[in-house]
Amino acid sequence: MAPCWKVSIWLALWALSFLGCCNFGCCKKTSRTSRSGRGGGGGGGGGDGGSEEQQGLMSHERVKRGWVWNQFFVVEEYTGTEPLYVGKIHTDSDEGEGTIKYTISGEGAGTIFIIDELTGDIHATERLDREEKAFYTLRAQALDRLSNDPLEPESEFVIKVQDINDSEPKFLEGPYIGSVAELSPIGASVMKVIASDADDPTYGSSARVVYSVLDEEKIFTVERHTGIILTAVADLDRETQDRYELVVKATDMAGQLGGLSGSTTVTIVITDVNDNPPRFPQKMYQFTVSEGATVGTSVGRVIATDADMGENTDMGYLISDQEGGELFKVTTDVDTQEAVICIKKPLDFESKRSHNVVVEAVNKHVDPRFADLGSFRDQTIVRVTVSDVDEPPIFLPAEGALLEVQEDAALGALVGVVTARDPDVENAPVRFSIDRSTDQDSVFHIDQVSGAITLGRVLDRETAGWHNITVTAVEADNQAMVSHSAVSIRILDVNDNPPELAYPYEASICEDAKPGQLIHTISVVDRDEPQSGHHFHFNLVPDTSSNRHFTLWDVKDNTAGIRTQRSGFNRNEQNVYFLSILVVDSGPPSLSSTGTVTIHVCGCDPDGAIQSCNATAYVISAALSPGALIALLVCMLILIVLVLLILTLKRHRKGQRIAEDEEDMRDNVIKYNDEGGGEQDTQAYDMSALRNLYDFPEAKGPDAGPPDLRSLPQWIQAGRAGGGGGGSATGSATASGAANEPPADFSLFKGYIRKKVEQADADLSVPPYDSFQTYAFEGSSSPALSLSSIHTLSTASEQDFSYLSDWGPRFRQLAGYYAPANPEEDGS
């Protein structure tokens, strides 16, 4: 059930609606106007009531409709049991006889809004809500009930839902979260909240909202009409309380009694500012470190706290006292914000056993607005205690010793003394030695107790001007305590090397040289390095024949120039001059040497350019460029290599022929493709190789005496015995004696020949060769007789060579030569 005040409003609005309807023409009107008259009333205009014919029937006057405004009003949220009367439409032509029918169309027609067809009364059948729909647009029409023809043009009107305060304010964006920096002044803006009211802002005060704070109103306030939240105090401290929650209320009806309200929660976060300096929890810290700790070793860590947060806690550390800053340094661990104290220089227990280091913490981001709050830094004392350790000896000076000794110093001479001591309180004795890897030749010795370095070998500065050795010092009672020091020994120079000409100088002059002409400039080298520098004197060696032709000019910068003393030289008389020069250094003691300069006399062109000299090598070297000389040398080297290669090949071939001659003693090798032309065919091979091997007596002529058969080859003896060439008694006797001898055994030779034949047949790459081998005389009464195959051609031979046909196609032709003769063919 609605409150009483709501019922009162409903009744008042309903009465107002009814009275307004009567006042503005909802009731029936009887006035008439001319055709040219205009409808009045309300906010709308009426249209013509009918056509011109109808107007003529009605005394030429137009009937006006009864509704002359275009808007009705209806109160929202009506809760009565009967339909709510909205308004009435009526036309002047309606005489109350029921001939006119009223209709409406448009939004809600027939459902939300209904009309009485006879009277034109409009009622709302449903409860309306302005927040859902504020107005409805409809159209009204008056029709003839019988013909259903429109009596007047259709007219549009609006039913507006009249607002009542039925919606409370709402915070649509809540809950809210805002922030404000701590120590902000009073009235600092925090954030803005907005409440929305669905009621009509143009009608009454239903949508006029005001704001107020329900909680924490002593710390924050809100502007009544804008909803902006402001600070009410100036001492907000994040470190005390970092957030607040307050309730903001919004009330409509401008806050008047009976207005509706809504609320929301606002969370306000207090943001941090750098208003707190760093603070060390302790005013003194103690750490212990060994004196043997290396540079960079961490001694300890301390940390300062800061009540702020975020980057406002970033801090740096420094050492503010001078003594601590020399021995220690401090760095900041970015992850933990700790101060790391490290050793900057080596610590010495014997010098000082404890150190007080003042460490200071400083904020990195200082806000000048809070400078009056005090210094944003804090200090603490870090006491570092140094513990003692056994240390190795230390050398004086620590960076090493530099000693000097003359290069002519005698063996055992004192070079210098190195010093080292034990830095510990006990001050143990120290023993010295030389690291022999740095003095492998034992040039120096050292006294192990005193550290005196003496000379062990003869020195030569020109060979080694510096000696760098390492001296070792060790505690006598603790061999593990060892230290090393570099000792540089410089060898001082003495004048022990005479000066010499820098090069074997050679010069040339033209035959038409003029007196006083500069021929060449010479310089000197001296292996010594006197402290005052080199000073040389040049002189010509006395009593030399060249002195009357040339002079020497000392340039005074340790060089000298050679000049001609006379004009005109004849290279045909003398083409080379040797000039002896004496060079003396400045000592002490002064040393000297003599050098020779060779001067060539050459022919020159009119411009003075050298054309030729009698010394060929000199001319070539002067005329040819270095590139040409190199090319010439390369060509000569290639020619020499070719000659040596040819000689080597010839020697190799000669040796190969000698080896072949020693290995194969065949007189001649003949390749037969046919029978050839016989012995008269001398084009095939050299017959003299066969004819001249033996000088047979019977070949010299008929006048020669009878030969000794024993001195001839056996095949000739056999031929002689067979009756060839004569038949003496001596020959017959010899033949008969040979016939009485037993037949020779050829099995050994058959086996050897067969083996060779098999090897030849197996080697397919070797062509077949027939060979005629001549043999020297075997001596008298040889049981083997002749080994020549030629002997087998005699009829007296008992050997059968038919087996040659079995040796293969290569020996088929040879087998035909030795085949037994056919008796029929002999007879023919």
Side-chain angles (χ1 to χ4, degrees):
M1 183 174 180
C4 295
W5 63 271
K6 283 191 175 183
V7 174
S8 300
I9 293 174
W10 281 113
L11 294 175
L13 291 175
W14 180 83
L16 180 63
S17 176
F18 178 76
L19 294 175
C21 181
C22 292
N23 292 333
F24 289 97
C26 286
C27 300
K28 178 179 178 182
K29 287 190 177 182
T30 59
S31 61
R32 299 178 178 223
T33 60
S34 64
R35 292 185 60 183
S36 61
R38 298 175 60 91
D48 291 339
S51 63
E52 298 229 354
E53 293 180 359
Q54 291 174 339
Q55 292 174 4
L57 294 175
M58 299 176 67
S59 301
H60 302 285
E61 291 183 356
R62 180 168 60 88
V63 179
K64 296 294 290 184
R65 61 178 177 271
W67 59 95
V68 292
W69 63 90
N70 60 0
Q71 184 168 286
F72 292 98
F73 292 92
V74 61
V75 180
E76 67 170 335
E77 303 293 345
Y78 171 70
T79 59
T81 59
E82 297 295 331
L84 178 63
Y85 179 77
V86 178
K88 183 182 183 67
I89 60 174
H90 189 74
T91 179
D92 291 343
S93 61
D94 188 357
E95 298 293 339
E97 297 176 355
T99 59
I100 297 176
K101 181 175 68 174
Y102 297 98
T103 62
I104 58 173
S105 62
E107 296 177 336
T111 56
I112 300 176
F113 304 103
I114 59 176
I115 189 171
D116 189 334
E117 294 181 353
L118 294 175
T119 64
D121 294 331
I122 301 174
H123 291 81
T125 62
E126 296 182 7
R127 180 180 177 180
L128 301 179
D129 186 1
R130 192 203 66 82
E131 285 71 37
E132 292 183 1
K133 190 171 181 61
F135 61 90
Y136 296 85
T137 302
L138 295 93
R139 292 177 298 278
Q141 182 73 61
L143 304 175
D144 186 286
R145 185 175 293 276
L146 297 177
S147 63
N148 208 30
D149 293 331
L151 302 177
E152 294 182 7
E154 188 180 54
S155 180
E156 184 178 85
F157 64 96
V158 174
I159 299 176
K160 185 174 182 181
V161 182
Q162 197 161 11
D163 181 57
I164 64 172
N165 190 19
D166 61 342
S167 298
E168 72 277 5
K170 295 181 180 179
F171 293 92
L172 301 179
E173 298 180 2
Y176 294 87
I177 298 177
S179 63
V180 64
E182 61 177 332
L183 299 181
S184 296
I186 296 175
S189 176
V190 179
M191 63 181 304
K192 183 178 181 179
V193 296
I194 299 176
S196 299
D197 196 321
D199 293 324
D200 188 359
T202 64
Y203 181 77
S205 300
S206 299
R208 294 178 60 188
V209 179
V210 293
Y211 301 91
S212 62
V213 176
L214 298 182
D215 295 334
E216 304 293 350
E217 64 274 5
K218 294 181 180 180
I219 301 175
F220 298 96
T221 61
V222 60
E223 288 187 352
R224 181 177 176 84
H225 299 288
T226 62
I228 297 176
I229 301 174
L230 307 173
T231 58
V233 295
D235 57 351
L236 291 174
D237 187 7
R238 187 201 64 82
E239 289 73 31
T240 303
Q241 186 174 348
D242 61 352
R243 68 178 52 225
Y244 294 88
E245 290 186 357
L246 58 148
V247 178
V248 178
K249 177 182 177 182
T251 306
D252 60 10
M253 297 297 291
Q256 297 177 5
L257 183 62
L260 304 178
S261 65
S263 63
T264 186
T265 301
V266 179
T267 301
I268 299 177
V269 178
I270 309 302
T271 59
D272 185 61
V273 297
N274 193 8
D275 59 337
N276 294 280
R279 290 288 182 264
F280 284 103
Q282 300 175 218
K283 290 302 179 183
M284 178 175 287
Y285 298 85
Q286 291 188 353
F287 300 102
T288 301
V289 65
S290 171
E291 67 170 336
T294 59
V295 174
T297 301
S298 174
V299 175
R301 291 174 174 242
V302 297
I303 187 171
T305 59
D306 194 326
D308 297 321
M309 62 182 299
E311 68 174 9
N312 293 326
T313 62
D314 292 346
M315 64 186 72
Y317 298 92
L318 56 91
I319 296 177
S320 59
D321 65 307
Q322 183 176 1
E323 179 184 356
E326 291 180 356
L327 297 177
F328 302 92
K329 66 178 180 179
V330 62
T331 58
T332 303
D333 189 328
V334 295
D335 296 327
T336 63
Q337 290 294 306
E338 291 179 309
V340 183
I341 296 97
C342 302
I343 298 175
K344 185 177 180 180
K345 289 185 178 180
L347 303 178
D348 188 10
F349 172 81
E350 290 72 26
S351 299
K352 193 171 183 178
R353 302 186 180 186
S354 66
H355 303 272
N356 291 329
V357 183
V358 179
V359 177
E360 189 174 73
V362 183
N363 267 140
K364 290 184 178 180
H365 310 288
V366 178
D367 195 333
R369 296 178 299 170
F370 310 108
D372 56 344
L373 297 179
S375 176
F376 284 81
R377 59 180 61 205
D378 193 23
Q379 292 182 346
T380 188
I381 297 175
V382 178
R383 176 169 290 177
V384 181
T385 301
V386 182
S387 61
D388 186 31
V389 295
D390 192 5
E391 299 175 89
I394 59 174
F395 284 90
L396 299 176
E399 62 274 8
L402 175 62
L403 305 178
E404 294 181 344
V405 62
Q406 295 279 351
E407 67 174 320
D408 59 350
L411 295 178
L414 178 64
V415 177
V417 179
V418 293
T419 304
R421 66 174 182 84
D422 182 12
D424 298 320
V425 178
E426 294 80 3
N427 194 15
V430 177
R431 298 294 179 261
F432 300 94
S433 62
I434 295 178
D435 185 356
R436 286 304 169 189
S437 63
T438 61
D439 185 24
Q440 297 180 356
D441 296 332
S442 299
V443 179
F444 303 98
H445 299 294
I446 189 170
D447 188 280
Q448 64 174 353
V449 177
S450 64
I453 299 177
T454 56
L455 196 60
R457 284 178 177 264
V458 177
L459 301 175
D460 183 14
R461 190 205 62 81
E462 287 71 33
T463 302
W466 285 85
H467 292 271
N468 297 312
I469 63 174
T470 300
V471 176
T472 302
V474 60
E475 291 185 10
D477 54 355
N478 187 358
Q479 299 294 322
M481 294 293 101
V482 180
S483 59
H484 306 276
S485 178
V487 178
S488 299
I489 302 175
R490 179 183 180 184
I491 311 303
L492 300 179
D493 183 53
V494 296
N495 194 27
D496 58 346
N497 292 280
E500 299 176 351
L501 293 181
Y503 306 99
Y505 289 101
E506 290 190 6
S508 60
I509 59 173
C510 296
E511 290 182 303
D512 56 352
K514 301 296 188 292
Q517 181 178 337
L518 180 63
I519 301 174
H520 208 284
T521 301
I522 60 175
S523 60
V524 179
V525 294
D526 194 331
R527 298 177 62 191
D528 296 321
E529 291 185 0
Q531 295 182 357
S532 60
H534 288 290
H535 299 283
F536 302 110
H537 303 281
F538 300 88
N539 293 293
L540 293 176
V541 176
D543 302 331
T544 58
S545 59
S546 300
N547 288 356
R548 56 191 177 86
H549 303 294
F550 304 96
T551 59
L552 199 62
W553 171 47
D554 192 348
V555 186
K556 303 300 182 182
D557 60 350
N558 293 331
T559 61
I562 302 174
R563 293 183 174 181
T564 57
Q565 191 173 0
R566 69 181 182 86
S567 62
F569 292 87
N570 190 344
R571 58 175 171 167
N572 293 326
E573 295 178 358
Q574 184 173 354
N575 63 338
V576 179
Y577 293 89
F578 299 99
L579 191 63
S580 299
I581 299 175
L582 177 66
V583 183
V584 182
D585 62 16
S586 56
S590 297
L591 300 178
S592 63
S593 67
T594 301
T596 301
V597 178
T598 304
I599 301 175
H600 298 269
V601 180
C602 303
C604 303
D605 61 9
D607 296 332
I610 296 176
Q611 296 294 322
S612 62
C613 299
N614 289 339
T616 305
Y618 180 76
V619 172
I620 293 176
S621 63
L624 294 179
S625 63
L629 289 175
I630 293 174
L632 182 61
L633 292 175
V634 170
C635 293
M636 294 177 63
L637 182 62
I638 293 174
L639 290 175
I640 293 173
V641 171
L642 289 175
V643 171
L644 292 177
L645 183 61
I646 293 172
L647 292 177
T648 303
L649 291 175
K650 286 185 176 181
R651 177 182 246 172
H652 179 69
R653 290 179 180 176
K654 182 177 181 181
Q656 188 175 9
R657 284 198 301 270
I658 293 174
E660 291 176 355
D661 293 344
E662 291 177 355
E663 180 180 0
D664 189 2
M665 295 302 295
R666 292 178 297 177
D667 291 330
N668 201 355
V669 178
I670 305 166
K671 179 179 179 181
Y672 290 92
N673 294 325
D674 51 18
E675 294 183 4
E679 292 183 356
Q680 298 302 322
D681 186 4
T682 59
Q683 299 299 322
Y685 56 89
D686 187 6
M687 294 298 296
S688 62
L690 297 176
R691 293 173 178 172
N692 298 332
L693 287 177
Y694 300 99
D695 188 12
F696 301 129
E698 71 273 15
K700 294 182 178 181
D703 298 334
D708 188 2
L709 291 178
R710 291 176 298 178
S711 62
L712 298 176
Q714 208 163 17
W715 64 275
I716 296 179
Q717 298 181 26
R720 293 290 180 89
S728 62
T730 306
S732 301
T734 305
S736 61
N740 294 330
E741 291 180 0
D745 185 8
F746 293 99
S747 62
L748 178 63
F749 300 102
K750 287 182 178 181
Y752 175 78
I753 293 173
R754 187 177 296 108
K755 183 183 295 185
K756 291 297 182 181
V757 169
E758 291 175 355
Q759 292 178 357
D761 286 341
D763 189 0
L764 301 178
S765 62
V766 179
Y769 290 99
D770 296 337
S771 63
F772 292 90
Q773 184 72 45
T774 60
Y775 295 89
F777 179 64
E778 303 94 298
S780 59
S781 303
S782 172
L785 300 179
S786 175
L787 298 179
S788 173
S789 60
I790 299 177
H791 184 262
T792 60
L793 294 175
S794 64
T795 56
S797 175
E798 297 179 359
Q799 187 175 0
D800 184 9
F801 289 96
S802 61
Y803 61 86
L804 292 175
S805 60
D806 299 333
W807 286 5
R810 297 183 178 182
F811 294 89
R812 188 172 299 160
Q813 186 175 0
L814 185 62
Y817 293 157
Y818 291 97
N822 191 350
E824 296 178 359
E825 293 178 357
D826 294 342
S828 63

mmCIF file with all atom_site columns, all heavy atoms in Angstrom, residues 427-438:
data_model
loop_
_atom_site.group_PDB
_atom_site.id
_atom_site.type_symbol
_atom_site.label_atom_id
_atom_site.label_alt_id
_atom_site.label_comp_id
_atom_site.label_asym_id
_atom_site.label_entity_id
_atom_site.label_seq_id
_atom_site.pdbx_PDB_ins_code
_atom_site.Cartn_x
_atom_site.Cartn_y
_atom_site.Cartn_z
_atom_site.occupancy
_atom_site.B_iso_or_equiv
_atom_site.pdbx_formal_charge
_atom_site.auth_seq_id
_atom_site.auth_comp_id
_atom_site.auth_asym_id
_atom_site.auth_atom_id
_atom_site.pdbx_PDB_model_num
ATOM 1  N N   . ASN A 1 427 ? 109.390 -11.039 12.772  1.00 0.00 ? 427 ASN A N   1
ATOM 2  C CA  . ASN A 1 427 ? 110.507 -10.600 11.940  1.00 0.00 ? 427 ASN A CA  1
ATOM 3  C C   . ASN A 1 427 ? 111.521 -11.731 11.746  1.00 0.00 ? 427 ASN A C   1
ATOM 4  O O   . ASN A 1 427 ? 112.700 -11.642 12.100  1.00 0.00 ? 427 ASN A O   1
ATOM 5  C CB  . ASN A 1 427 ? 111.198 -9.375  12.550  1.00 0.00 ? 427 ASN A CB  1
ATOM 6  C CG  . ASN A 1 427 ? 112.134 -8.701  11.543  1.00 0.00 ? 427 ASN A CG  1
ATOM 7  O OD1 . ASN A 1 427 ? 112.066 -8.959  10.344  1.00 0.00 ? 427 ASN A OD1 1
ATOM 8  N ND2 . ASN A 1 427 ? 113.020 -7.860  12.045  1.00 0.00 ? 427 ASN A ND2 1
ATOM 9  N N   . ALA A 1 428 ? 111.045 -12.846 11.143  1.00 0.00 ? 428 ALA A N   1
ATOM 10 C CA  . ALA A 1 428 ? 111.901 -14.010 10.912  1.00 0.00 ? 428 ALA A CA  1
ATOM 11 C C   . ALA A 1 428 ? 112.964 -13.685 9.877   1.00 0.00 ? 428 ALA A C   1
ATOM 12 O O   . ALA A 1 428 ? 112.771 -12.841 8.998   1.00 0.00 ? 428 ALA A O   1
ATOM 13 C CB  . ALA A 1 428 ? 111.036 -15.173 10.430  1.00 0.00 ? 428 ALA A CB  1
ATOM 14 N N   . PRO A 1 429 ? 114.154 -14.336 9.956   1.00 0.00 ? 429 PRO A N   1
ATOM 15 C CA  . PRO A 1 429 ? 115.215 -14.105 8.964   1.00 0.00 ? 429 PRO A CA  1
ATOM 16 C C   . PRO A 1 429 ? 114.782 -14.571 7.578   1.00 0.00 ? 429 PRO A C   1
ATOM 17 O O   . PRO A 1 429 ? 113.968 -15.487 7.433   1.00 0.00 ? 429 PRO A O   1
ATOM 18 C CB  . PRO A 1 429 ? 116.389 -14.928 9.501   1.00 0.00 ? 429 PRO A CB  1
ATOM 19 C CG  . PRO A 1 429 ? 115.777 -15.949 10.403  1.00 0.00 ? 429 PRO A CG  1
ATOM 20 C CD  . PRO A 1 429 ? 114.561 -15.317 10.997  1.00 0.00 ? 429 PRO A CD  1
ATOM 21 N N   . VAL A 1 430 ? 115.382 -13.937 6.574   1.00 0.00 ? 430 VAL A N   1
ATOM 22 C CA  . VAL A 1 430 ? 114.998 -14.183 5.183   1.00 0.00 ? 430 VAL A CA  1
ATOM 23 C C   . VAL A 1 430 ? 116.204 -14.738 4.429   1.00 0.00 ? 430 VAL A C   1
ATOM 24 O O   . VAL A 1 430 ? 117.346 -14.300 4.651   1.00 0.00 ? 430 VAL A O   1
ATOM 25 C CB  . VAL A 1 430 ? 114.491 -12.893 4.521   1.00 0.00 ? 430 VAL A CB  1
ATOM 26 C CG1 . VAL A 1 430 ? 114.149 -13.127 3.055   1.00 0.00 ? 430 VAL A CG1 1
ATOM 27 C CG2 . VAL A 1 430 ? 113.268 -12.358 5.256   1.00 0.00 ? 430 VAL A CG2 1
ATOM 28 N N   . ARG A 1 431 ? 115.954 -15.688 3.511   1.00 0.00 ? 431 ARG A N   1
ATOM 29 C CA  . ARG A 1 431 ? 116.994 -16.264 2.665   1.00 0.00 ? 431 ARG A CA  1
ATOM 30 C C   . ARG A 1 431 ? 116.670 -15.964 1.199   1.00 0.00 ? 431 ARG A C   1
ATOM 31 O O   . ARG A 1 431 ? 115.512 -16.024 0.783   1.00 0.00 ? 431 ARG A O   1
ATOM 32 C CB  . ARG A 1 431 ? 117.088 -17.777 2.877   1.00 0.00 ? 431 ARG A CB  1
ATOM 33 C CG  . ARG A 1 431 ? 117.468 -18.164 4.307   1.00 0.00 ? 431 ARG A CG  1
ATOM 34 C CD  . ARG A 1 431 ? 118.884 -17.720 4.633   1.00 0.00 ? 431 ARG A CD  1
ATOM 35 N NE  . ARG A 1 431 ? 119.254 -18.064 5.999   1.00 0.00 ? 431 ARG A NE  1
ATOM 36 C CZ  . ARG A 1 431 ? 119.227 -17.230 7.010   1.00 0.00 ? 431 ARG A CZ  1
ATOM 37 N NH1 . ARG A 1 431 ? 118.815 -15.971 6.808   1.00 0.00 ? 431 ARG A NH1 1
ATOM 38 N NH2 . ARG A 1 431 ? 119.591 -17.608 8.214   1.00 0.00 ? 431 ARG A NH2 1
ATOM 39 N N   . PHE A 1 432 ? 117.752 -15.647 0.424   1.00 0.00 ? 432 PHE A N   1
ATOM 40 C CA  . PHE A 1 432 ? 117.589 -15.203 -0.962  1.00 0.00 ? 432 PHE A CA  1
ATOM 41 C C   . PHE A 1 432 ? 118.113 -16.263 -1.919  1.00 0.00 ? 432 PHE A C   1
ATOM 42 O O   . PHE A 1 432 ? 119.031 -17.038 -1.597  1.00 0.00 ? 432 PHE A O   1
ATOM 43 C CB  . PHE A 1 432 ? 118.337 -13.887 -1.197  1.00 0.00 ? 432 PHE A CB  1
ATOM 44 C CG  . PHE A 1 432 ? 117.875 -12.746 -0.339  1.00 0.00 ? 432 PHE A CG  1
ATOM 45 C CD1 . PHE A 1 432 ? 118.507 -12.460 0.866   1.00 0.00 ? 432 PHE A CD1 1
ATOM 46 C CD2 . PHE A 1 432 ? 116.800 -11.965 -0.725  1.00 0.00 ? 432 PHE A CD2 1
ATOM 47 C CE1 . PHE A 1 432 ? 118.080 -11.413 1.657   1.00 0.00 ? 432 PHE A CE1 1
ATOM 48 C CE2 . PHE A 1 432 ? 116.370 -10.918 0.062   1.00 0.00 ? 432 PHE A CE2 1
ATOM 49 C CZ  . PHE A 1 432 ? 117.002 -10.640 1.256   1.00 0.00 ? 432 PHE A CZ  1
ATOM 50 N N   . SER A 1 433 ? 117.548 -16.273 -3.125  1.00 0.00 ? 433 SER A N   1
ATOM 51 C CA  . SER A 1 433 ? 118.029 -17.130 -4.211  1.00 0.00 ? 433 SER A CA  1
ATOM 52 C C   . SER A 1 433 ? 117.572 -16.525 -5.534  1.00 0.00 ? 433 SER A C   1
ATOM 53 O O   . SER A 1 433 ? 116.687 -15.663 -5.571  1.00 0.00 ? 433 SER A O   1
ATOM 54 C CB  . SER A 1 433 ? 117.488 -18.564 -4.073  1.00 0.00 ? 433 SER A CB  1
ATOM 55 O OG  . SER A 1 433 ? 116.072 -18.568 -4.158  1.00 0.00 ? 433 SER A OG  1
ATOM 56 N N   . ILE A 1 434 ? 118.195 -16.986 -6.616  1.00 0.00 ? 434 ILE A N   1
ATOM 57 C CA  . ILE A 1 434 ? 117.851 -16.522 -7.967  1.00 0.00 ? 434 ILE A CA  1
ATOM 58 C C   . ILE A 1 434 ? 117.084 -17.623 -8.679  1.00 0.00 ? 434 ILE A C   1
ATOM 59 O O   . ILE A 1 434 ? 117.494 -18.792 -8.660  1.00 0.00 ? 434 ILE A O   1
ATOM 60 C CB  . ILE A 1 434 ? 119.115 -16.133 -8.766  1.00 0.00 ? 434 ILE A CB  1
ATOM 61 C CG1 . ILE A 1 434 ? 119.810 -14.923 -8.133  1.00 0.00 ? 434 ILE A CG1 1
ATOM 62 C CG2 . ILE A 1 434 ? 118.765 -15.812 -10.220 1.00 0.00 ? 434 ILE A CG2 1
ATOM 63 C CD1 . ILE A 1 434 ? 121.087 -14.523 -8.831  1.00 0.00 ? 434 ILE A CD1 1
ATOM 64 N N   . ASP A 1 435 ? 115.975 -17.262 -9.271  1.00 0.00 ? 435 ASP A N   1
ATOM 65 C CA  . ASP A 1 435 ? 115.194 -18.211 -10.069 1.00 0.00 ? 435 ASP A CA  1
ATOM 66 C C   . ASP A 1 435 ? 115.976 -18.484 -11.349 1.00 0.00 ? 435 ASP A C   1
ATOM 67 O O   . ASP A 1 435 ? 116.109 -17.617 -12.220 1.00 0.00 ? 435 ASP A O   1
ATOM 68 C CB  . ASP A 1 435 ? 113.824 -17.619 -10.388 1.00 0.00 ? 435 ASP A CB  1
ATOM 69 C CG  . ASP A 1 435 ? 112.924 -18.612 -11.122 1.00 0.00 ? 435 ASP A CG  1
ATOM 70 O OD1 . ASP A 1 435 ? 113.395 -19.716 -11.438 1.00 0.00 ? 435 ASP A OD1 1
ATOM 71 O OD2 . ASP A 1 435 ? 111.757 -18.264 -11.384 1.00 0.00 ? 435 ASP A OD2 1
ATOM 72 N N   . ARG A 1 436 ? 116.540 -19.700 -11.456 1.00 0.00 ? 436 ARG A N   1
ATOM 73 C CA  . ARG A 1 436 ? 117.433 -20.026 -12.567 1.00 0.00 ? 436 ARG A CA  1
ATOM 74 C C   . ARG A 1 436 ? 116.709 -20.101 -13.908 1.00 0.00 ? 436 ARG A C   1
ATOM 75 O O   . ARG A 1 436 ? 117.369 -20.086 -14.958 1.00 0.00 ? 436 ARG A O   1
ATOM 76 C CB  . ARG A 1 436 ? 118.163 -21.342 -12.294 1.00 0.00 ? 436 ARG A CB  1
ATOM 77 C CG  . ARG A 1 436 ? 119.262 -21.203 -11.236 1.00 0.00 ? 436 ARG A CG  1
ATOM 78 C CD  . ARG A 1 436 ? 120.250 -20.124 -11.616 1.00 0.00 ? 436 ARG A CD  1
ATOM 79 N NE  . ARG A 1 436 ? 121.170 -19.770 -10.530 1.00 0.00 ? 436 ARG A NE  1
ATOM 80 C CZ  . ARG A 1 436 ? 122.003 -18.742 -10.572 1.00 0.00 ? 436 ARG A CZ  1
ATOM 81 N NH1 . ARG A 1 436 ? 122.002 -17.953 -11.653 1.00 0.00 ? 436 ARG A NH1 1
ATOM 82 N NH2 . ARG A 1 436 ? 122.788 -18.474 -9.567  1.00 0.00 ? 436 ARG A NH2 1
ATOM 83 N N   . SER A 1 437 ? 115.402 -20.176 -13.910 1.00 0.00 ? 437 SER A N   1
ATOM 84 C CA  . SER A 1 437 ? 114.699 -20.125 -15.197 1.00 0.00 ? 437 SER A CA  1
ATOM 85 C C   . SER A 1 437 ? 114.830 -18.748 -15.834 1.00 0.00 ? 437 SER A C   1
ATOM 86 O O   . SER A 1 437 ? 114.649 -18.601 -17.054 1.00 0.00 ? 437 SER A O   1
ATOM 87 C CB  . SER A 1 437 ? 113.219 -20.467 -15.009 1.00 0.00 ? 437 SER A CB  1
ATOM 88 O OG  . SER A 1 437 ? 112.581 -19.504 -14.181 1.00 0.00 ? 437 SER A OG  1
ATOM 89 N N   . THR A 1 438 ? 115.162 -17.739 -15.025 1.00 0.00 ? 438 THR A N   1
ATOM 90 C CA  . THR A 1 438 ? 115.379 -16.392 -15.556 1.00 0.00 ? 438 THR A CA  1
ATOM 91 C C   . THR A 1 438 ? 116.861 -16.085 -15.744 1.00 0.00 ? 438 THR A C   1
ATOM 92 O O   . THR A 1 438 ? 117.199 -15.022 -16.244 1.00 0.00 ? 438 THR A O   1
ATOM 93 C CB  . THR A 1 438 ? 114.765 -15.353 -14.609 1.00 0.00 ? 438 THR A CB  1
ATOM 94 O OG1 . THR A 1 438 ? 115.392 -15.433 -13.314 1.00 0.00 ? 438 THR A OG1 1
ATOM 95 C CG2 . THR A 1 438 ? 113.266 -15.581 -14.442 1.00 0.00 ? 438 THR A CG2 1
#
